[in-house]
Every structure is written in C-alpha cells, then in structure tokens.
Amino acid sequence: MTALADALGLYVHWPYCARICPYCDFNVYRPRGQDDALLDAILADMTGWRQRTGARPLASIHFGGGTPSLMTGARINRLIEHADQLWGFEDGAEIGLEANPNNIDNFADIIAAGVNRLSVGVQSLEDAALSQLGRDHDGALARRAIERAMSLCDRVSIDMIYARAGQTAASWEAELREILAFGASHLSPYQLTIEAKTAFGRRASRGEQLDSPVELAADLFDLTHDICDAHGLPAYEISNHARTVQDQSRHNRLYWEGGDWIGVGPGAHGRIGSAAGTGRLACEARAQPKAYIDAVAGAGSGLGATEQLSASDERAERILMGMRLDDGLDLEVLQRKTGLTIDIDALDRLGAQGLVEQRGARVRLLPAGRIFADRISGELVPDTP
Ligand code: SF4
C-alpha cells in the first residue's frame, strides 16, 4: 500500500438531498430529475481526470454529498467500475459512502454495488433533537439504520451532532453511551456549528440560541473524548474515533496526511500534484448541477476554478490538516512536499505551554491543545513565506 501522503483518492459528490437540513452549508440541492444526466457527466469527468493524473491506482473512493445513498446501487456500481477501469485500485482500497437512515431499504444494494464502508448519518437518537435539527428521520429509524448497516457491512461509522441547544452533559452522555453500545468500530461526533449562510445562521442572527454555549460545548468535547477513550474508541483525529488503525477512515486520513485526491460531481474539491517547492493545484468543480453537466458536455471537464497554490500556501494547508491527526503532522513529508518547515520558535513556545509535543518527525497536539487546534496550527505557520 502506498503511504497516504503519496496516495491518490477519488471524491464523488452527489448533491441531492430529499430535504435540506437547516444547519447544512454543503453544496446541496433538491432532486430535479437530472440523475441520469449527472451520472453521465460524472463518468465523463472521471475519464478526463484520468488523463491528468496518469496511471495511479486509487487508495480510496468516497461518495459524499448531499445524499449519495439516494443513488441506486446500479449507478454506484457504474461509478466504481468506471474508476476501476480508469485507475484500478490498490489492495485494501476503501470505498466509502455516506448513508441517510431514510435510505435504509437501499443499504443492501449499496453494499452489493461494491461499497465496503458505510457512514450512517444518524446525528442523534432523540426525536426532539432530530426535529430541532430539521432531520427527516426519527430516533427509531436511526437505530434500525445502524443495525441494518452493521448487519451488511464490517466497516460502519456513525455520524453524530452534539452541542445542540438545550443539551446537557447528562443527556449527551446517555445518548453517546447508547450509540457506543451498538459496537460500531468508528464514530464521528461533530459539534454543531452555526454557519452564516444557512437557515440556522439566519435564525441565530435574530438572537435565537441553537447551539450550546461555548463553555458547555468545550465540556461536551472533553466528555466525548473521555467516554470514547474508556470505550476503546480513541480519537485519531479531532472529531473521529476508531477502535483500531484498520478501522480508521483511509479516505479521510488521505486528506489529513496530504495525499492527492480528485473531486468529481458538482462543487467537489480536489488537490493534485506536489513537487517540492512548486505548490499544488487546488481544484473546484462547477457548483450547480446543471452548470456542471453543461461544463462536462462542452469542455469534457466539470472544473470551475483552479488555483496553483504556492509552496507556502500548501504548507499552511498541510499544517492545518496534519495537526488534526492524533499522531500529528509529519515534518519529513512537509519538507519533501513543500521544501519548507514549521515555525520552530512557535513550536518551542507551544511546547512549553503543554499544548503540543514533537515525537520523532511528528508534531502533535497534546490533550490540552485539542480544543485550540486551528489556532495552534495557525501559530505553527511562519509569518514569512
Ligand atoms: S442530509 Fe446531509 S448533506 Fe443533505 S442537507 Fe442534510 S446535512 Fe446537508
């Protein structure tokens, strides 16, 4: 297997959702009967990308969105088969898909199509919380979806949202313990964040409290880590917990380790190519499904914007991503990919404050630094290019 910093992944964005959740700021749309046209466009876009990447086997595919579990198994299988024909797969390649509990009847077809890792977006087990979050399923369906996924697939992750308005430490602990009791090998508990351009953002700007106060959110974060640690699911990234190294998400690790990935589908992002000192290409596909379909039909590519990152821009991004990992940022990879290193004075200062430590070639957050990950990453980026 290729080291993930040197591996290639494929992200497929399926932008449709049966209902748009009021907290969501992803590139999402209500279905408009364009599934066949979009599928054909994504397949053609992949063919174009093969010419740009050359022959490199894929370490992973991830179907995100949107709601990719709305896709039929036949469509998912066509995408996987096409990827196999274009690039082929590394041994043990991860093929992951984000599944909505509402699509429970489609889970068997999704697995039969070739998906080997399911992330079930249950978000909560409480009916009142799910209603508050504007989700289109209840707690009973969330529980059934987890059981169904685990009966079909060895690698199941459960996505949760906490730090919601009205939540207490006791209620979150009870909910988290029930989730852990299902025995899934991976858990992604995310704190609710209020994004400005969402329905929640507009309500919050009118003074409505939709998330937990900052201090309680910090307590819930610590509680989450303590309970998951005690349950044998330590965090390997700020918001991702896994039982073993094999249970970690290979595709997400590829992002955090700084590997290359292709993004296809409306609004998908990608990062390609990195030779020391030259920076790499940041790519973003056209966001609107129709614009994406038209772009692929016209130019053979759904690309909207590309930006050649400078070596120092690439360094800042690699520091931000790498420091999210529990085992930290690999300084040798950073040097090899960008020709640059971190701010050594900042490393000494943050080390003296008990927020980070260096172990061999890696710099990692200490528990006291986890909650300040973004600020600490920013301090490790030197001011001068
Ligand atoms: S289902 Fe997921 S992607 Fe779709 S609107 Fe809700 S949170 Fe966003």
Side-chain angles (χ1 to χ4, degrees):
M1 267 189 219
T2 312
L4 286 173
D6 300 310
L8 179 67
L10 173 68
Y11 173 72
V12 181
H13 190 84
W14 191 256
Y16 301 123
C17 292
R19 190 203 288 188
I20 307 299
C21 304
Y23 57 87
C24 179
D25 75 335
F26 297 154
N27 186 43
V28 293
Y29 303 86
R30 298 292 299 278
R32 297 200 181 103
Q34 291 175 306
D35 289 22
D36 285 334
L38 181 57
L39 178 73
D40 288 344
I42 293 175
L43 291 165
D45 202 11
M46 286 164 61
T47 304
W49 270 111
R50 170 63 178 79
Q51 288 158 16
R52 278 169 244 145
T53 61
R56 297 172 64 187
L58 295 172
S60 61
I61 301 182
H62 186 77
F63 292 92
T67 308
S69 55
L70 284 173
M71 269 193 282
T72 62
R75 288 197 174 102
I76 294 166
N77 181 255
R78 276 190 71 192
L79 290 162
I80 294 172
E81 291 289 316
H82 194 53
D84 192 15
Q85 284 158 12
L86 293 172
W87 290 282
F89 292 114
E90 290 192 4
D91 286 346
E94 176 181 292
I95 303 182
L97 182 140
E98 294 166 13
N100 186 306
N102 258 324
N103 305 130
I104 185 169
D105 292 339
N106 198 25
F107 286 6
D109 284 355
I110 290 169
I111 297 300
V115 167
N116 58 25
R117 183 175 188 275
L118 272 183
S119 301
V120 188
V122 305
Q123 318 310 353
S124 175
L125 296 176
E126 295 176 3
D127 290 348
L130 289 165
S131 162
Q132 184 185 357
L133 290 169
R135 299 288 298 179
D136 54 1
H137 61 87
D138 61 14
L141 182 55
R143 291 175 178 86
R144 284 209 310 281
I146 295 169
E147 284 167 354
R148 180 80 176 132
M150 291 183 67
S151 73
L152 291 164
C153 184
D154 290 338
R155 301 186 64 203
V156 170
S157 178
I158 302 174
D159 288 0
M160 299 290 289
I161 294 178
Y162 70 100
R164 312 176 301 248
Q167 201 168 26
T168 64
S171 68
W172 171 232
E173 177 169 350
E175 195 176 4
L176 182 57
R177 287 193 186 283
E178 185 181 349
I179 281 289
L180 289 166
F182 283 96
S185 58
H186 192 283
L187 180 68
S188 301
Y190 295 106
Q191 286 197 15
L192 177 62
T193 51
I194 307 295
E195 306 291 347
K197 290 181 184 166
T198 63
F200 267 21
R202 290 185 286 280
R203 285 166 58 184
S205 72
R206 294 194 294 270
E208 206 174 329
Q209 181 72 43
L210 295 157
D211 54 357
S212 300
V214 174
E215 283 185 8
L216 176 58
D219 289 346
L220 297 180
F221 177 85
D222 289 340
L223 183 66
T224 303
H225 282 252
D226 291 347
I227 293 174
C228 289
D229 276 353
H231 199 85
L233 260 75
Y236 66 98
E237 190 265 354
I238 304 281
S239 302
N240 284 274
H241 301 249
R243 181 159 297 132
T244 68
V245 171
Q246 289 72 32
D247 295 320
Q248 297 178 4
S249 164
R250 194 161 162 75
H251 186 83
N252 283 340
R253 264 206 91 105
L254 183 147
Y255 295 156
W256 298 316
E257 299 265 9
D260 285 351
W261 76 93
I262 302 153
V264 292
H269 289 250
R271 292 285 184 278
I272 287 293
S274 184
T278 61
R280 64 179 177 167
L281 200 62
C283 310
E284 184 177 348
R286 302 289 294 261
Q288 296 272 347
K290 180 158 186 334
Y292 176 82
I293 292 166
D294 290 348
V296 176
S301 165
L303 270 180
T306 59
E307 183 189 357
Q308 182 67 45
L309 299 179
S310 68
S312 64
D313 288 344
E314 181 180 343
R315 167 175 62 184
E317 195 172 81
R318 285 180 178 277
I319 292 173
L320 187 72
M321 299 298 271
M323 289 301 291
R324 295 188 65 87
L325 285 166
D326 185 62
D327 46 10
L329 171 74
D330 187 325
L331 297 180
E332 285 176 3
V333 170
L334 183 70
Q335 175 74 36
R336 175 162 61 84
K337 297 281 186 178
T338 69
L340 301 170
T341 190
I342 59 172
D343 186 326
I344 299 302
D345 290 341
L347 175 62
D348 289 344
R349 187 177 66 246
L350 293 162
Q353 292 167 2
L355 298 173
V356 301
E357 69 171 2
Q358 181 164 5
R359 268 197 209 164
R362 287 198 178 246
V363 174
R364 66 189 286 268
L365 294 171
L366 288 168
R370 279 178 186 159
I371 197 93
F372 308 114
D374 288 352
R375 175 175 68 76
I376 290 170
S377 299
E379 290 186 33
L380 290 172
V381 178
D383 290 334
T384 48

